[in-house]
Amino acid sequence: TTTPSPAPPSGYSDINVNLDVQQRIGVTTGRVEQTPLAMSIRAVGIVRPDETRVAHVHLKTEGWVDKLFVAYIGQKVRAGEPMLSIYSPTFFAAQREFLSALRVAKSGLDSEGDQKTVVDTARRRLELWDIPKDEIDKLEQTGNPGKFLLLRSPISGTVLQKTAFSGQYVTMQSDLFVVADLSTVWMQAKIFQYELPHVALGMPATVSFPSSSQRPLAGKVVFIDPVVDEASRSVQVRIELQNPHGTLLPGMFGDVVISH
């Protein structure tokens, strides 16, 4: 006995198509399943430094560059490491002012205690020039003002720009170095206006570099530009990527796929 076929739903009818006809027209059958509908948006991106991890190194006084400790762009530096030394008459005078205030305060001639305020003010002035506390303490103990001011790196990272050279006269407006921590980088990509409804913050993205042998990298969308470029009708999208080995360099082009 054979099991009878179930009756078709109301409003539908069964049809029979012989095997020869099915083969000629390519009929296939399958089971109806409920699955996610995936959509991919593709774009070309450029690696940029993470702007929250970039430091512009400049002086808070003025003077002449005496010695450079950073010789070339691309050099690695650590936070607190000297980058150059400066001869600054203003810095030398500030040290002498601090020592003079200390001598008066220790002499006991200042009965009203106003000299302590002068000492604190002179010390604070040195601190605002990013002079480390141990160097100020050493100045207080020895009483010998230093001739040169050391400019130190505020962060650990890679030197991306260098404009300082030996003997140069520099001011507070001078950007001497740009240092970036490249352990995390941004991939800046452009998507078209009609693709905007399919992109949102936190969406996963895959970045690959056709010119490199490394495997595709996983990231996520962390920023969508709120302004559309009128000429290209596109929007900047930023994808954050981890770069612990430093293989991703600013300026590299890559293919971006945003999954929706």
Side-chain angles (χ1 to χ4, degrees):
T1 60
T2 58
T3 303
S5 300
S10 176
Y12 292 84
S13 300
D14 284 335
I15 61 170
N16 293 316
V17 181
N18 64 50
L19 293 178
D20 292 339
V21 175
Q22 290 186 37
Q23 290 176 356
R24 287 199 300 269
I25 64 177
V27 172
T28 58
T29 60
R31 181 183 298 274
V32 176
E33 296 179 344
Q34 184 173 355
T35 61
L37 179 61
M39 175 181 179
S40 296
I41 296 173
R42 299 179 179 273
V44 175
I46 305 176
V47 176
R48 301 295 188 196
D50 182 341
E51 293 177 6
T52 64
R53 299 169 180 256
V54 175
H56 293 258
V57 183
H58 53 82
L59 284 174
K60 295 183 178 179
T61 181
E62 53 190 20
W64 288 264
V65 176
D66 175 67
K67 185 177 180 181
L68 286 172
F69 300 101
V70 174
Y72 55 89
I73 293 175
Q75 184 172 330
K76 306 289 186 181
V77 294
R78 295 182 179 274
E81 193 171 276
M83 304 189 77
L84 53 74
S85 62
I86 295 281
Y87 170 65
S88 171
T90 307
F91 172 60
F92 187 77
Q95 293 178 91
R96 291 178 62 87
E97 178 185 333
F98 174 64
L99 293 174
S100 176
L102 279 174
R103 283 194 295 269
V104 174
K106 292 178 180 178
S107 66
L109 299 177
D110 178 35
S111 57
E112 297 183 2
D114 293 338
Q115 194 61 33
K116 183 179 184 303
T117 303
V118 176
V119 172
D120 292 341
T121 301
R123 177 186 288 272
R124 182 58 178 161
R125 185 181 182 187
L126 295 174
E127 291 173 348
L128 290 174
W129 281 350
D130 298 327
I131 310 301
K133 182 180 181 300
D134 57 345
E135 290 190 16
I136 298 177
D137 293 340
K138 183 179 178 181
L139 173 64
E140 183 176 354
Q141 294 168 5
T142 62
N144 296 323
K147 185 178 179 182
F148 300 106
L149 169 64
L150 287 178
L151 182 63
R152 302 174 183 274
S153 176
I155 63 173
S156 298
T158 304
V159 177
L160 299 185
Q161 294 182 27
K162 169 185 169 293
T163 60
F165 56 86
S166 183
Q168 177 187 12
Y169 180 75
V170 293
T171 65
M172 291 176 282
Q173 290 78 28
S174 305
D175 244 3
L176 303 178
F177 301 96
V178 175
V179 182
D181 177 3
L182 299 179
S183 60
T184 300
V185 295
W186 289 344
M187 175 64 81
Q188 298 277 50
K190 285 186 176 183
I191 63 170
F192 292 106
Q193 179 179 332
Y194 67 84
E195 295 173 319
L196 267 177
H198 308 292
V199 178
L201 295 177
M203 277 187 175
T206 302
V207 178
S208 58
F209 298 88
S211 60
S212 174
S213 60
Q214 64 181 346
R215 289 180 292 180
L217 303 175
K220 64 178 180 179
V221 177
V222 296
F223 178 77
I224 301 172
D225 199 322
V227 178
V228 177
D229 180 70
E230 294 180 10
S232 62
R233 298 183 182 179
S234 62
V235 177
Q236 287 273 3
V237 175
R238 183 182 303 157
I239 294 119
E240 187 177 76
L241 297 173
Q242 299 301 313
N243 187 30
H245 304 296
T247 55
L248 303 181
L249 305 178
M252 290 177 64
F253 281 77
D255 295 326
V256 178
V257 180
I258 301 173
S259 302
H260 173 51

